[in-house]
Amino acid sequence: MPATTLEQVVALAKRRGFVFPSSEIYGGLQGVFDYGPLGVELKNNIQSDWWRTNVYERDDMEGLDAAILMNRLVWKYSGHEETFNDPLVDCRNCKSRWRADHIKGKCPNCGSTDLTEPRPFNMMFKTQVGPVADSDSFAYLRPETAQGIFANFANVLATTSRKLPFGVAQIGKGFRNEINPRNFLFRVREFDMMEIEYFVMPGTDEQWHEHWLEARLSWWAGIGVPRDQIQVYDVPKADLAHYSKRTYDLMYNYPTLGYQEIEGIANRTDFDLGSHSRDQEKFGLTAKVIPNSDSLARLTYFDQASNRHIVPFVIEPSAGVGRCFLAVMSEAYDEQIVKAPPADKVDAVAQALQAFLKSVGRNEKLAAETRDALLERGEAIAAALPEALPQIETLLGMPGADQIEVGKKLRGQAQPVADEHFRTVLRFVPKIAPVKVAVFPLKRNHEGLVGTAKGIRKALQKTGMRTVYDDTGAIGRLYRRQDEIGTPFCITVDFQSLEDGTVTVRDRDTMAQERVASGELESYLREKIG
Ligand code: GAP
């Protein structure tokens, strides 16, 4: 069964070290996460694939890595000081603070409707620059990487001699002081962004906007987020960002959250280059820019055909790496029956689950919302047994579940059945899998098997495929561990290997095994991984 709730994905991400809460040893920091040993590999693979597709495989792109700190004036003329606001309300009853458009007039903490009027809250973080702390010595942590590209437009143009249309790609950190960070990596305060600013002749912008929409959908499909899981939302005029003439939001169907923005593709017109430019009045700008008396540069392009300086329009595809990470994990997630569990065992689990739900329903110490969430989840699992059986562990990890005594009995019934009859598998597209190959010796105390397996690991790692060695359990258990982190291929070195130089290669998805000569492993795997 694919992931039906975000909790399943979050639980696996935590359990297997994809993602950790930041500064957990001190109680964490809300809205900030660290990527663990597997997470950093997955994130790097996503970013490399984005870079390869958008920079190396096109002939109209350059790359850039601009600094996070920029002159404050960038954020004045970009419009962010004035407009990068979310509507903030206070609950007068419990003193908590919320984003007005996320709570439908009722405090999610205490249920009160006694809220203040919404007021704008600027989401840019400030930090002090230099040793003197006065009102002028601060800078913002960038809320988007895009401005580093606009501020370097003239530098890139001068050093590359590019002709329109061309684009600049950048991957880097963005920071937003979100009022209520939530839903794991979905809404956080520090995150990585993958952004393209694509500069085009005015008048060709709408056609390039459509081009980028298709190009981006095709990239998403290529990393395992299929077209039918994404809706294209044509943002209504009233909701457009201050710089946009038209924006397509790509809305991915996240488990639990439903369709939510994963990427924005905006037509930023000539707003940004125009706003940051000196002599603005000379260029016939279409956007309503902020009058600029501070800029030292004209951010223009000399068009030989018309023999004049123009300000290009910009199409901007912009995606958050964390939201991509979450989508890729959700799509890859699968709980699969490997051996049908016997009916009597499933019945016993079903009865234990009913007893658990009855006890939840009767428990008056639980808050109404906690009780409803447990009941809703538990009833959905009960209706989908036996396929949903592994989800019982996630149910028992939900808030309030630890207060239900019969939960222990339910775990005792469900866990052995889940372990024996199911496997959790991340069916990543091989090119983004954190580990490509795992190598095991059939026996860990046999010198010949261990030496051969370690030699294969080393040789494959040298080819650039992330390869790990493991001998810490029985082969079946080792397969399950690799399935759970999405490793597409496992190699086992057995006694036949020592005689004829072949090894078994097991495919993650089909679980089929094939014997392959050690000398042919690299080409065999390369062809499969792509
Ligand atoms: N330069 C354009 C721009 O910043 P945006 O729609 O505000 O546009 C782009 O952000 C993308 O960044 C979003 O589509 C989303 O994937 C990601 N993103 C935005 N805010 C985020 C947050 N607080 N946490 C995680 N990702 C976020």
Side-chain angles (χ1 to χ4, degrees):
M1 253 184 127
T4 49
T5 65
L6 201 59
E7 285 79 17
Q8 289 168 275
V9 179
V10 174
L12 175 58
K14 288 186 178 161
R15 187 167 73 244
R16 294 309 310 268
F18 281 87
V19 179
F20 305 123
S22 162
S23 354
E24 203 175 7
I25 57 167
Y26 292 109
L29 179 65
Q30 211 194 353
V32 188
F33 289 92
D34 300 335
Y35 289 87
L38 294 170
V40 65
E41 300 293 341
L42 177 58
K43 179 168 169 266
N44 284 346
N45 292 344
I46 289 170
Q47 293 178 178
S48 308
D49 194 71
W50 183 92
W51 194 268
R52 189 168 49 238
T53 309
N54 292 301
V55 183
Y56 300 156
E57 289 178 5
R58 298 181 60 110
D59 43 24
D60 54 357
M61 294 288 294
E62 301 286 349
L64 186 78
D65 184 8
I68 288 169
L69 298 178
M70 302 181 80
N71 190 309
R72 258 176 74 188
L73 292 172
V74 168
W75 305 106
K76 172 179 172 183
Y77 291 107
S78 71
H80 284 75
E81 275 194 337
E82 187 69 27
T83 61
F84 198 59
N85 301 319
D86 271 345
L88 173 72
V89 290
D90 290 284
C91 171
R92 290 199 182 91
N93 184 43
C94 71
K95 312 292 176 219
S96 57
R97 294 189 142 176
W98 303 97
R99 206 175 123 171
D101 55 334
H102 281 175
I103 64 167
K104 299 193 186 96
K106 191 171 158 192
C107 172
N109 190 39
C110 69
S112 169
T113 51
D114 189 8
L115 307 173
T116 58
E117 280 301 306
R119 59 193 186 284
F121 170 76
N122 194 286
M123 288 197 288
M124 286 195 290
F125 280 101
K126 281 180 184 171
T127 188
Q128 187 192 313
V129 176
V132 182
D134 62 28
S135 59
D136 283 335
S137 66
F138 74 87
Y140 296 107
L141 300 186
R142 67 181 178 198
E144 61 171 12
T145 69
Q147 297 302 324
I149 300 180
F150 299 132
N152 278 294
F153 173 76
N155 290 335
V156 174
L157 197 58
T159 51
T160 63
S161 311
R162 283 281 180 186
K163 302 270 172 280
L164 289 184
F166 74 94
V168 180
Q170 177 165 221
I171 299 177
K173 292 277 184 199
F175 301 82
R176 297 184 187 183
N177 198 3
E178 294 282 350
I179 297 170
N180 294 120
R182 57 184 174 171
N183 295 325
F184 195 46
L185 300 176
F186 183 80
R187 189 173 303 285
V188 289
R189 289 182 167 138
E190 173 181 336
F191 55 101
D192 298 270
M193 308 179 82
M194 305 182 283
E195 299 202 286
I196 294 166
E197 307 305 323
Y198 193 77
F199 302 102
V200 304
M201 287 297 284
T204 63
D205 49 308
E206 291 179 10
Q207 155 202 339
W208 280 108
H209 201 188
E210 301 305 315
H211 164 90
W212 277 105
L213 173 61
E214 290 313 315
R216 296 300 304 136
L217 287 168
S218 148
W219 181 76
W220 283 108
I223 59 156
V225 183
R227 179 67 186 87
D228 61 7
Q229 282 285 77
I230 294 179
Q231 284 177 358
V232 178
Y233 178 62
D234 195 349
V235 179
K237 282 234 160 353
D239 298 339
L240 289 172
H242 62 279
Y243 49 70
S244 173
K245 164 178 160 185
R246 187 173 190 182
T247 295
Y248 294 129
D249 278 348
L250 305 190
M251 312 290 281
Y252 170 69
N253 188 15
Y254 288 95
T256 305
L257 310 179
Y259 285 96
Q260 298 287 339
E261 180 185 335
I262 192 168
E263 168 160 7
I265 306 172
N267 182 341
R268 291 181 79 132
T269 70
D270 51 5
F271 174 83
D272 298 276
L273 292 182
S275 231
H276 287 306
S277 194
R278 58 181 279 208
D279 302 332
Q280 294 163 320
E281 63 292 344
K282 296 189 176 151
F283 308 121
L285 296 172
T286 64
K288 193 167 169 299
V289 295
I290 304 166
N292 193 328
S293 50
D294 293 304
S295 173
L296 306 176
R298 291 174 171 179
L299 301 188
T300 56
Y301 172 86
F302 183 68
D303 176 35
Q304 282 175 332
S306 64
N307 199 27
R308 63 191 178 95
H309 290 273
I310 57 138
V311 175
F313 269 45
V314 176
I315 305 300
E316 179 201 59
S318 167
V321 177
R323 289 191 189 181
C324 173
F325 188 100
L326 208 50
V328 159
M329 285 205 65
S330 304
E331 279 301 318
Y333 192 95
D334 191 14
E335 280 163 357
Q336 185 190 9
I337 296 183
V338 283
K339 189 168 63 163
D344 59 330
K345 285 191 186 172
V346 177
D347 278 353
V349 172
Q351 279 172 29
L353 178 56
Q354 287 310 329
F356 173 83
L357 294 177
K358 215 179 247 177
S359 177
V360 169
R362 280 199 302 255
N363 192 313
E364 285 172 6
K365 286 191 204 137
L366 292 175
E369 274 180 22
T370 307
R371 192 168 51 231
D372 290 350
L374 282 170
L375 288 175
E376 191 186 328
R377 197 71 222 104
E379 277 154 16
I381 294 171
L385 285 177
E387 285 78 6
L389 195 145
Q391 293 176 36
I392 289 174
E393 196 46 44
T394 318
L395 173 74
L396 293 171
M398 285 174 66
D402 56 346
Q403 294 177 41
I404 307 298
E405 194 53 34
V406 290
K408 288 192 195 110
K409 190 166 172 220
L410 174 58
R411 178 173 281 126
Q413 294 280 1
Q415 212 166 42
V417 186
D419 286 349
E420 192 183 340
H421 297 273
F422 290 79
R423 67 169 185 153
T424 302
V425 51
L426 287 177
R427 298 185 191 276
F428 290 129
V429 173
K431 66 179 174 179
I432 63 158
V435 176
K436 306 288 187 265
V437 189
V439 190
F440 317 135
L442 188 65
K443 288 193 163 197
R444 70 171 151 189
N445 49 9
H446 189 286
E447 218 176 291
L449 296 177
V450 168
T452 307
K454 285 190 173 169
I456 290 174
R457 185 211 86 85
K458 207 165 192 175
L460 287 177
Q461 184 59 58
K462 277 197 183 135
T463 69
M465 281 180 264
R466 175 83 176 118
T467 309
V468 298
Y469 169 88
D470 196 358
D471 64 8
T472 57
I475 297 293
R477 198 179 187 83
L478 298 182
Y479 283 156
R480 290 284 190 281
R481 256 192 234 157
Q482 295 299 326
D483 287 346
E484 214 184 27
I485 63 166
T487 305
F489 297 100
C490 291
I491 294 173
T492 303
V493 175
D494 55 19
F495 290 105
Q496 189 180 332
S497 313
L498 302 183
E499 284 168 20
D500 66 7
T502 63
V503 293
T504 61
V505 181
R506 179 219 187 230
D507 181 298
R508 175 196 68 197
D509 295 334
T510 61
M511 295 189 279
Q513 299 185 17
E514 221 182 313
R515 284 209 86 86
V516 177
S518 305
E520 285 163 20
L521 275 173
E522 184 188 343
S523 57
Y524 174 92
L525 292 166
R526 258 193 204 297
E527 197 192 319
K528 301 249 178 195
I529 291 169

